[in-house]
Amino acid sequence: MVDLRAPWSIGPVEIPTRLVLAPMAGVSVQAFRRQGRRFGAGLVCSEMVSSAGIEHRNERTLGYLRVASDEHPLAIQLFGSDPVAMTESARMIEAVGADLVDLNFGCPVRKVTKTGAGATLLDDPDHAARIVAAIADAVEIPVTVKLRRGMRNGSRDCLTLGPRLVEAGAASLTLHPRSAQQMYTGVADHALTAELASLVDVPVVASGDIGDRATARSLLERTGATAVMVGRAAQGNPWALEEIVDGVEREPSREEIVAELVLFLREAGRELGERRASGFLKKFYGWYLGAGRFPRQFRQELVVLDSTDEVERRLLAAAPGAIPLVERLEAEIPPGDAVTLELPISVYGGG
C-alpha cells in the first residue's frame, strides 16, 4: 500500500510527501503555495513564468520569482522556446533560491503555443532536448519537465520524448496524459503514465483527474508513478490536500473556511498589491464559498465590492467565529513579508 506521507527525492532535493501542488496560471501565487505546504503538499510550484519576461526584466514577471522561506521545496516553472533566454532565466531561478527549475512543455493555450513554447515543443523533440540539455548544463539545481501526451488526440509522443528529455538531463517528468487538443476535456489516460514510468529511471509525477485519496493511491499503485500532482481540486479547497495525504476526510466549518479565505486575502494583497489582488481574488470567492457552503447571493455580493477590506468585513460578519481562528493562524504563520527573500540585485540588472 502506497504511503502518501513517504518522502522521496528529485536529485538532491528531498520532498516530504507524495503530493505535488500543480503550477496553475492565475492561481499559484505565493499565498496559494504557502497554504498548500501547510495542508500537506510536499512540493509546490509557481505558475509558469515567461523567459522573455525575465530577459526583458519585466517587473511583474520578476515578481513571480520571489521565494518565501516556508514554501521549500519549491519549483519555479519556466516557459519559452529560445534556449539562450531559457538558460539565462534558469540561472536567475537558481539565484533566487528555488529548489527546482521546471520546464513547461505542455501548456495548450494559444498565446503560449504560437510562440513555439509550451505544448508546441512536443512536436519538436530535438529542440525540446536541446533546451533541457542547455539548462541542465547551466544550473546546479535539478531540471524537471511537465508535458502532455502530445499535441493531438491519441498521440503517444510523450513516450518517445520523455526518455530523450531524461537523457538530456531532466531529473523528473510530470505527465498530464491529455493532448493539447483536448485542453481539459475528456479523461486523463493514465495508462500512458504507467508506460512512461516503465521507460525512465527518474521519478514520474502523475497529473490529471486526481482529487481524492483513493484515486491518488490507486494511481500510484497501478502506474508506478512516484507522486501525484493536484491542481483544480485544491482551488479554494486546501482541505482536499489534507484528505489526500492523511485520509482526513471532513467538511470544514464555515468558520474555518472564512478564516482561511481571510488569511488568503491578506497574503494576496501583500503580495500583489490591493489593485491587482482585488481582481485576482474574485474567482476564489466562488471556489471557497461554493458547493453549498454559503448562499450564492452572498458570493455574488462579495464579487462587486470595491476593496478586499470590504470583502473581509463581510466575511467576518457572516462568520464571527472565524475571528479567533484568523488570529491563531496569523500567530502561528509568519507574515509573507517576513519570510519572503529579497531578489538578488543581479536579477534587476544592477550588477
Side-chain angles (χ1 to χ4, degrees):
M1 190 69 73
V2 175
D3 179 6
L4 285 152
R5 275 284 178 189
W8 59 293
S9 62
I10 298 176
V13 179
E14 293 196 7
I15 301 168
T17 74
R18 301 293 173 124
L19 177 59
V20 181
L21 188 61
M24 291 178 282
V27 176
S28 299
V29 294
Q30 194 176 85
F32 183 79
R33 303 190 308 256
R34 294 179 72 212
Q35 182 188 64
R37 288 287 291 119
R38 284 194 291 116
F39 278 85
L43 173 66
V44 295
C45 308
S46 76
E47 62 181 290
M48 60 181 185
V49 182
S50 164
S51 61
I54 294 176
E55 184 181 27
H56 294 103
R57 303 300 192 266
N58 177 276
E59 186 174 350
R60 180 173 292 193
T61 303
L62 292 179
Y64 295 138
L65 302 185
R66 290 192 172 88
V67 176
S69 60
D70 62 353
E71 56 180 327
H72 294 289
L74 165 71
I76 292 182
Q77 189 181 76
L78 186 63
F79 77 95
S81 60
D82 175 21
V84 175
M86 291 278 278
T87 299
E88 180 59 29
S89 296
R91 288 194 180 104
M92 287 193 185
I93 286 170
E94 181 176 41
V96 300
D99 302 283
L100 305 163
V101 54
D102 185 58
L103 308 181
N104 184 308
F105 290 179
C107 180
V109 177
R110 174 65 181 158
K111 70 178 182 180
V112 172
T113 58
K114 72 181 182 181
T115 68
T120 306
L121 289 162
L122 299 170
D123 270 353
D124 194 347
D126 291 340
H127 191 53
R130 279 195 298 272
I131 290 173
V132 171
I135 294 174
D137 285 344
V139 298
E140 297 294 326
I141 60 176
V143 178
T144 62
V145 183
K146 187 167 190 279
L147 63 160
R148 285 189 171 230
R149 67 181 298 162
M151 283 293 288
R152 287 157 290 281
N153 292 345
S155 171
R156 294 170 56 83
D157 288 346
C158 61
L159 301 181
T160 53
L161 178 60
R164 286 200 61 182
L165 299 180
V166 171
E167 185 179 352
S172 177
L173 301 173
T174 297
L175 179 63
H176 185 132
R178 285 181 169 89
S179 68
Q181 185 180 353
Q182 273 182 280
M183 299 291 284
Y184 295 96
T185 63
V187 177
D189 181 6
H190 282 293
L192 283 173
T193 307
E195 289 190 66
L196 181 61
S198 72
L199 293 173
V200 297
D201 59 359
V202 299
V204 170
V205 179
S207 173
D209 301 343
I210 303 163
D212 57 65
R213 181 177 175 85
T215 301
R217 294 179 79 168
S218 171
L219 192 56
L220 290 176
E221 287 168 2
R222 74 175 193 267
T223 65
T226 302
V228 295
M229 178 174 280
V230 174
R232 287 175 287 173
Q235 292 174 345
N237 191 25
W239 300 275
L241 304 178
E242 185 179 62
E243 188 272 329
I244 290 170
V245 172
D246 292 325
V248 180
E249 189 171 1
R250 65 184 182 86
E251 177 61 26
S253 68
R254 287 166 60 97
E255 289 74 19
E256 287 176 285
I257 293 163
V258 167
E260 283 293 339
L261 179 51
V262 166
L263 183 65
F264 193 82
L265 291 178
R266 293 178 181 179
E267 285 293 284
R270 171 200 58 78
E271 182 180 351
L272 304 176
E274 169 63 26
R275 183 175 178 181
R276 278 184 63 199
S278 183
F280 166 80
L281 288 162
K282 291 184 186 300
K283 55 184 173 285
F284 284 88
Y285 304 150
W287 289 340
Y288 273 92
L289 307 176
R293 290 171 170 175
F294 282 78
R296 179 190 294 259
Q297 183 180 349
F298 179 68
R299 304 196 307 266
Q300 291 172 336
E301 289 170 359
L302 295 183
V303 171
V304 299
L305 293 176
D306 291 330
S307 72
T308 56
D309 284 344
E310 291 179 83
V311 172
E312 180 177 324
R313 284 195 292 271
R314 292 294 299 274
L315 286 167
L316 294 176
I323 295 173
L325 296 183
V326 174
E327 292 172 351
R328 191 189 75 201
L329 284 170
E330 292 209 309
E332 293 173 351
I333 304 162
D337 53 3
V339 298
T340 300
L341 307 177
E342 288 298 320
L343 294 179
I345 291 173
S346 59
V347 171
Y348 291 111

